[in-house]
Amino acid sequence: MRSLSDGIRDDDPYGPPRRQSGAAAGPLSPGTTGSSQRASYAPYRSPEQLSAPPTTDELAVVASANTLVGMAPEASVVVNGRSFVLDCIGTVSAIFWGMNIDVRKDFARYYGDGVGRLYQSLQARGALHHDLLPRPGDIIFWSNTWDANADGRLDDDPLTHAGVVMAVDPDGTIHYVHEHVIKGVTVEVMNLQRPGDYYGPQGRIINSAMALNSGISRRDNPPHWTSGDLWESFGDVLRVKKYFEVAITIPGTDHREPILVSLRPPDPQ
């Protein structure tokens, strides 16, 4: 059965997942469904940081993501000379590669599929957080979106999907882009103030269906199936972008400069 998170493909240039032995294998302590343990996390951003206008880098992530919205599931694309298959992690990777950032830079260091290795990469840089309100450009991690280990349970599968924040509404509804197994690269919503609610008080959708084969009209949904209820954490790539940045050499010169400058919006006046 195909999953929401296809992880690392057989032809991935970073090679197969690195196997580790013992209890230390895999990412550390993700996978809690619901919000019962999140109140203990210290705030990552101040109210002033959360309310600030979008930065140039945040706008660049959104612009890069918008070039992929509407692509079919697992479509093949070339971004700045690199090929990507738009599965879950391929979509996230292509978005950031479009603005000079290689989120797969450290994948060979870690164990697991693409989502797990991205989580570990950002965890190592101190760039994970559990604020209920993110900023555009933050990566979203979800757990338990499908039975990844095929044990018949839907509550023990950490880090099974990822997306990228596009915008946040005043009521806390987060618009994110991700690869959907049917819709392809699409923008959906999540609200961590009301994580288990599909509809908000005004009757609009505030949490999209996230668990595989779930939906508001289905009677066989698992106990946790909305995007808000399966949220795991956020990753702030932009705070550590210098570490992940890449550059190309202009042919015929020794000069190196960032790639895909055309996707970057102008600096605010």
Side-chain angles (χ1 to χ4, degrees):
M1 180 177 66
R2 182 164 172 248
S3 72
L4 278 172
S5 174
D6 293 322
I8 298 299
R9 303 172 61 85
D10 292 338
D11 58 354
D12 184 78
Y14 295 88
R18 175 176 293 182
R19 296 293 174 182
Q20 297 178 2
S21 60
L28 301 178
S29 68
T32 301
T33 298
S35 58
S36 60
Q37 297 184 13
R38 294 186 177 121
S40 61
Y41 289 103
Y44 180 77
R45 294 187 176 103
S46 69
E48 293 75 20
Q49 290 173 320
L50 287 173
S51 62
T55 67
T56 299
D57 282 336
E58 290 170 351
L59 292 173
V61 175
V62 174
S64 181
N66 277 327
T67 67
L68 303 179
V69 171
M71 301 291 288
E74 296 200 338
S76 296
V77 298
V78 176
V79 179
N80 293 320
R82 175 176 285 186
S83 297
F84 295 89
V85 174
L86 298 181
D87 57 8
C88 162
I89 203 64
T91 299
V92 174
S93 301
I95 288 170
F96 283 95
W97 185 257
M99 56 168 299
N100 321 351
I101 296 173
D102 183 8
V103 298
R104 296 186 178 190
K105 175 180 178 179
D106 286 347
F107 273 22
R109 296 174 179 264
Y110 301 112
Y111 166 84
D113 68 5
V115 179
R117 291 202 264 183
L118 178 53
Y119 180 96
Q120 292 173 91
S121 296
L122 294 176
Q123 184 180 51
R125 312 307 301 178
L128 296 177
H129 71 88
H130 294 82
D131 287 357
L132 300 185
L133 294 174
R135 293 283 301 184
D138 278 0
I139 291 176
I140 311 173
F141 293 101
W142 289 277
S143 291
N144 302 309
T145 61
W146 67 293
D147 185 12
N149 60 14
D151 66 352
R153 297 177 56 182
L154 297 174
D155 61 356
D156 63 349
D157 299 283
L159 301 173
T160 51
H161 196 50
V164 179
V165 175
M166 300 284 277
V168 184
D169 291 342
D171 71 347
T173 299
I174 299 159
H175 299 256
Y176 62 86
V177 63
H178 74 130
E179 188 262 351
H180 189 284
V181 295
I182 297 174
K183 301 175 184 177
V185 181
T186 188
V187 177
E188 297 193 292
V189 292
M190 175 174 76
N191 190 306
L192 298 176
Q193 317 294 328
R194 308 172 69 97
D197 295 343
Y198 185 77
Y199 293 112
Q202 306 303 316
R204 67 188 180 100
I205 298 172
I206 60 171
N207 282 289
S208 298
M210 177 55 66
L212 188 66
N213 295 325
S214 65
I216 189 63
S217 63
R218 298 182 67 102
R219 297 186 178 182
D220 58 347
N221 288 325
H224 304 283
W225 60 278
T226 64
S227 53
D229 226 6
L230 295 176
W231 169 70
E232 172 63 46
S233 58
F234 294 109
D236 184 5
V237 177
L238 295 180
R239 187 175 73 82
V240 292
K241 73 164 190 169
K242 292 295 184 184
Y243 179 78
F244 292 100
E245 276 185 331
V246 295
I248 60 171
T249 301
I250 299 176
T253 75
D254 294 327
H255 181 57
R256 295 172 65 83
E257 65 178 27
I259 55 179
L260 204 63
V261 175
S262 60
L263 271 187
R264 298 178 64 86
D267 290 333
Q269 299 300 316

